[in-house]
Amino acid sequence: MDQGWTETESPFHDGEIAVQEKVGVPGSIAALAKRSFRPFMPDQHRDFFRQIPLIYIAYMDADGWPQATALAGSPGFLKSPDPKTLEVTARPGSHDPLSQNLAEGTRLGLLGLEMHSRRRNRLNATVTEETEEGFVVSVDQSFGNCPQYIQARQFSSSVDPAHKDALKKRHEFTVLDKETTRLIEAADTFFVASAIHSEASDKTGGADMSHRGGRPGFVRVEGNILTVPDFVGNFFFNTLGNFLKNPRAGLLFVNFQTGDMLQLSGSVTLLWDKEDLAHFQGAERGWQFTLEKGALVRNALPLRWEEGDLSLNSHLTGTWKEAEEIAAANQLRNEWRDFKIIDIAEESDSIKSFYLVPEDGKGLLPFKAGQFLPIKVPAGEKGEDLRRTYTLSSSPYDKSYRISVKKEGKVSRFLHEQMAVGGRLKTRAPRGKFHLTENHQKPAVMLAGGVGITPMLAMIRQSVQDGIRLRRLKPVTLIHAAHSSAERAFFNEFVSLARGTEGAVRYASFISRVMPGERAGQHYHGEGRLTLETLQAVLPDEACEFYLCGPAGFMQSLYNILRLSGVPDEDIYAEAFGPASLARSKKEDDEAADIPLADQALIRFTETGSSSTWTPDAGVLLDFAEAEGLAPQFGCRVGNCGSCAVKMKAGAVTYQEEPTAIVEDGHILLCCARPAAGTDEIELEI
């Protein structure tokens, strides 16, 4: 059947195109829409409408305001005798203004939603006939929508039709009261009607009905103003495009347990700069709705549903309460905050995971998967605080931080042996430069050794969740090397992730010591060290980004293999543990960074009263202090944890790379600081 679009026609009007261009939607979206928007209903849409008991309707009233409502009936009250026609055997009651606005030529937006399966289909249609039982529409456009933010619900019961009309009561208002505010703030679903004036022959005009969903609390109410985040959708921007040309909307909130309907109409302001949504997880942009008038209709619908499960997409979004908590926490990002341990999990013979939530009620600060969490615990010999950094193994979408710690060293032993559920430690905001890039064109390959698996788990979990949210899953291959299966962490979690992504995530576990009874393909995938041959056997054929994390020798060996295989240095990202860092090989025409160092400088240590002359071959000031017989506190030795911070009373230093740890004014990090050019003398409180 004819798809209804000529080669030169666009399926979008000027407002939709303007929004698409503003947010950077590729031009190919129009070609996709031409295949999706049909001037008829495919057979599967016709069958779909025949089996649902409820349809949502958008229309424009006599004053030009878009309005939203719903009509219910027994399955079969919607039927399609042919692909261009939908017959509705139901009429709006006297409580519903649609009854005064139905007439031949009225343009409607219709949305069918099957809540238990989360299927939905949309129609733009024109009323061609009114009957005693209902009305008939002719299809202008028919298209399906993805189920991204639809809350699943199970049908539970119907009200006796003989009594339902008597039960309906309509209360009109111009101010939202406590009851209507509570209904909106508790909603995980609402429907929005938008419309633009157009000629009947205009395929892109008329009324639209759209669904909006999220977690309860995703709509904020402040007096008569509602603020709504806009999440990633189908990129057609039908609703926002309509708002751009006609900034008015009709909103419909339904209490699915009672059948009550809340109908609102008002003006709309689009929020492009996201300032008001900066801390709202998943919000790409937003809009504000200012109430003009509204009505609460008791028992408007005869159908009842029980609550079901939120969609996974909704779980990846936030609420206004959480956004406020994150904003409050952001004011404390440079301070130590108290966190409580809510769970501890044994991941291997030597690795435990600790799940942490803030004690102050101010929320988790967002982070990029792969970053680390600075912590402080009283693990010193005299009970003094020691600082360390541990990579977050949780996803940024999780509602708690998770650090996964191998038992080695004072702080990790303290965590393993002394900390229990209910215990407390202090943290600062996550930080670090090791995280996934936003390049969706290249697959990612992650090579992890031992506990170096922790950032990879966070990265892959975020990648999978972003793939669900954005509908474009970045291919990832993970290769994990461990001494034995007993020392290996997260095996089952990675196997589950790989199975659930239909090949987008590939996982291979290599172990050095195979235990009796362990079988390749079941308990592990390969034996021994990672070599060029083993990598070539599992790596994708196309150019990739590489992420390395693990012991220094492991990373250096793999880095050298990759460079010899022709992988550009700029495509290799690495996170080093401890004092070692990766020795990178540059191209011959690459110039070494010019670090403005002093030729020499006198270093005075105020606490010991000693002094000595530093020269560039002495290295960083931590190395220099240790060579002078001093023992300053340190942790990571790469500028991450801040443990080696000391007060500098005079002089100036420079860093080859800016540290990620927070450095207070007047302090320096010994582990990566060197005297700066022009400095003759430095005085340190050591």
Side-chain angles (χ1 to χ4, degrees), residues 203-436:
K203 300 177 185 178
T204 65
D208 274 309
M209 176 59 96
S210 184
H211 164 279
R212 290 294 186 271
R215 293 167 56 210
F218 82 108
V219 181
R220 184 175 67 191
V221 184
E222 297 173 298
N224 271 6
I225 298 176
L226 278 56
T227 306
V228 183
D230 191 62
F231 305 133
V232 170
N234 57 22
F235 301 108
F236 295 158
F237 295 110
N238 306 120
T239 302
L240 297 193
N242 287 347
F243 287 165
L244 203 62
K245 297 192 73 172
N246 179 26
R248 293 177 169 186
L251 307 186
L252 174 66
F253 291 83
V254 177
N255 186 324
F256 293 99
Q257 286 75 50
T258 67
D260 295 349
M261 288 197 322
L262 179 65
Q263 296 171 304
L264 310 175
S265 60
S267 57
V268 171
T269 301
L270 296 176
L271 306 175
W272 296 112
D273 59 11
K274 292 179 61 175
E275 180 180 348
D276 201 39
L277 298 112
H279 302 294
F280 198 112
Q281 184 169 289
E284 299 290 319
R285 60 201 65 82
W287 47 280
Q288 283 188 330
F289 171 91
T290 302
L291 178 70
E292 180 76 14
K293 60 183 178 179
L296 178 62
V297 187
R298 305 285 189 190
N299 299 292
L301 297 176
L303 309 175
R304 305 290 183 265
W305 282 269
E306 296 176 355
E307 294 293 341
D309 296 326
L310 282 176
S311 73
L312 179 55
N313 295 76
S314 293
H315 278 296
L316 302 179
T317 62
T319 67
W320 284 105
K321 182 176 183 295
E322 290 173 352
E324 291 167 3
E325 291 171 351
I326 293 170
N330 196 52
Q331 302 299 314
L332 305 173
R333 65 179 304 109
N334 291 335
E335 299 180 19
W336 291 101
R337 298 170 61 199
D338 289 321
F339 272 61
K340 181 170 71 174
I341 299 172
I342 60 169
D343 196 14
I344 299 175
E346 298 272 357
E347 308 292 2
S348 75
D349 284 356
S350 59
I351 297 173
K352 281 185 179 181
S353 285
F354 299 84
Y355 293 78
L356 312 171
V357 295
E359 286 268 80
D360 55 19
K362 294 183 178 176
L364 298 173
L365 282 169
F367 64 95
K368 294 182 178 180
Q371 291 185 308
F372 54 81
L373 186 71
I375 72 164
K376 182 166 66 174
V377 293
E381 294 179 1
K382 298 180 180 179
E384 70 274 16
D385 285 338
L386 296 182
R387 304 177 185 181
R388 293 294 185 271
T389 59
Y390 292 105
T391 303
L392 287 155
S393 56
S394 51
S395 160
Y397 295 106
D398 292 343
K399 305 309 176 187
S400 62
Y401 288 150
R402 176 175 68 173
I403 56 172
S404 300
V405 180
K406 184 177 181 181
K407 189 177 181 180
E408 53 180 1
K410 285 183 181 180
V411 175
S412 62
R413 285 198 303 272
F414 181 87
L415 291 171
H416 274 249
E417 298 170 1
Q418 303 297 322
M419 299 301 278
V421 172
R424 289 162 174 78
L425 50 78
K426 293 183 180 295
T427 81
R428 272 179 168 169
R431 60 204 67 227
K433 300 176 182 178
F434 185 63
H435 51 77
L436 275 178

